Amino acid sequence: MRRRHRPRRHVALVLSALASATALVATGCSMDGARTVNTTGPNAIISVNGTEPQNGLLTTNTAENGGGRVVDALFTGLYAYDADGKPQLANAESVDTTDNQNYTIHLKKDWKFTDGTPVKAENYVRAWNFGAATKNAQLQQSFFEPIEGYDVVAGENSTADEMSGLKVVDDYTFTVRLTQPNIDFKLGLGFTPFKPLPDVFFTEGAKEFGEHPIGNGAYKMAGPDAWRHNVQINVVRNDDYKGPDKPRNGGIDFVLYSSLDTAYTDLTSGNLDVTDTIPVSALNSYKKASAHTH
């Protein structure tokens, strides 16, 4: 039996908070001795705790928080989630169904990947088929299980690579047919595995693309050397982003820690702006500092 990875909607919520650098567990400006950072300025670069991604930065192969937070900053799907977890249309103009089994999805026509190529229906269909096919060994494969034809592409030793339930209608329209009605499927279409991949992914391959991803999200990689392994990943605001959750800062520096204690030390000393996790060893000091500040 394949293990179904839990949807990482919380990752999207963290990124929503990072867009304005508010509402996280702790920020540098709230701690005694930490520097005061302009976390709301339109060009501010926010440093936040992270961990080294376990794999390349690829939508269908990222199943952990370290890579997921970066991937969700770089890619946006049919829906985005607000701070309360409610889905709202993003890259989709509409997602229509009358029976929760057959869906017609219309895309907005003004969206582009950060290499300038348009986001089309084929970019979704090809990405989903890639993620579902066993031969590609993607960690998020099971998310595509409700789609008709999944059992064929996901079968043991299968060489098939297209699910019968996905059809491109035109450049900005595609249909999805499920094996049976599923009232939750539509709500999950903003989850990481369902995001699109640009044409260049299918020419250069997963390994190379995962090191230098090109998305359609609120942020983009800061340059060819933006990912310094085990050190830092730098993303900057995508000024052409069309989604509802536009950044209110200039970018995010994901500082890659192997220890939460080290991250917290950097936070309190003013070398880190934001952390979303407080280590158990620091809970008492954090509570005291928070009580003193407030």
Side-chain angles (χ1 to χ4, degrees), residues 22-235:
T22 60
L24 290 186
V25 172
T27 59
C29 59
S30 69
M31 306 302 296
D32 288 345
R35 61 191 175 102
T36 300
V37 179
N38 177 16
T39 57
T40 58
N43 296 310
I45 302 296
I46 310 302
S47 63
V48 59
N49 71 301
T51 56
E52 174 72 8
Q54 294 178 6
N55 299 288
L57 298 172
L58 183 59
T59 55
T60 53
N61 205 39
T62 300
E64 36 75 37
N65 194 47
R69 294 170 71 188
V70 183
V71 168
D72 284 339
L74 300 174
F75 295 86
T76 296
L78 301 171
Y79 288 98
Y81 300 99
D82 64 20
D84 297 319
K86 182 179 179 180
Q88 51 189 326
L89 289 171
N91 197 180
E93 183 71 41
S94 63
V95 179
D96 301 320
T97 183
T98 58
D99 58 6
N100 291 315
Q101 184 173 2
N102 296 279
Y103 297 82
T104 298
I105 299 170
H106 297 279
L107 302 180
K108 295 174 181 175
K109 297 180 180 180
D110 57 348
W111 278 58
K112 294 182 179 181
F113 292 102
T114 55
D115 64 354
T117 58
V119 183
K120 295 184 177 182
E122 187 176 17
N123 296 111
Y124 279 92
V125 170
R126 292 185 75 185
W128 295 9
N129 277 325
F130 178 87
T134 287
K135 66 180 183 179
N136 298 321
Q138 297 296 284
L139 293 175
Q140 299 286 46
Q141 179 188 29
S142 62
F143 272 94
F144 305 102
E145 187 173 0
I147 300 174
E148 183 180 86
Y150 171 85
D151 58 334
V152 175
V153 302
E156 187 176 357
N157 299 320
S158 173
T159 58
D161 54 13
E162 293 185 0
M163 291 180 283
S164 59
L166 296 179
K167 302 292 183 183
V168 174
V169 177
D170 58 40
D171 280 351
Y172 297 98
T173 308
F174 68 102
T175 60
V176 183
R177 177 173 173 79
L178 308 184
T179 55
Q180 61 186 13
N182 185 329
I183 61 173
D184 294 324
F185 181 76
K186 182 177 180 179
L187 297 177
L189 289 177
F191 292 160
T192 307
F194 293 108
K195 295 177 180 182
L197 291 170
D199 294 344
V200 66
F201 168 77
F202 300 97
T203 58
E204 68 179 22
K207 184 175 181 180
E208 175 63 24
F209 183 88
E211 290 289 318
H212 306 96
I214 295 169
N216 66 328
Y219 296 90
K220 60 184 179 180
M221 297 294 275
D225 300 318
W227 183 359
R228 290 180 288 154
H229 286 276
N230 297 299
V231 178
Q232 196 160 294
I233 299 174
N234 308 114
V235 301

Side-chain angles (χ1 to χ4, degrees), residues 203-266:
T203 58
E204 68 179 22
K207 184 175 181 180
E208 175 63 24
F209 183 88
E211 290 289 318
H212 306 96
I214 295 169
N216 66 328
Y219 296 90
K220 60 184 179 180
M221 297 294 275
D225 300 318
W227 183 359
R228 290 180 288 154
H229 286 276
N230 297 299
V231 178
Q232 196 160 294
I233 299 174
N234 308 114
V235 301
V236 295
R237 181 179 62 229
N238 176 12
D239 288 328
D240 293 327
Y241 181 62
K242 306 295 183 181
D245 49 346
K246 294 183 179 180
R248 296 194 295 273
N249 56 47
I252 304 170
D253 290 343
F254 292 93
V255 184
L256 308 179
Y257 293 96
S258 58
S259 166
L260 285 174
D261 292 293
T262 303
Y264 186 77
T265 298
D266 276 358

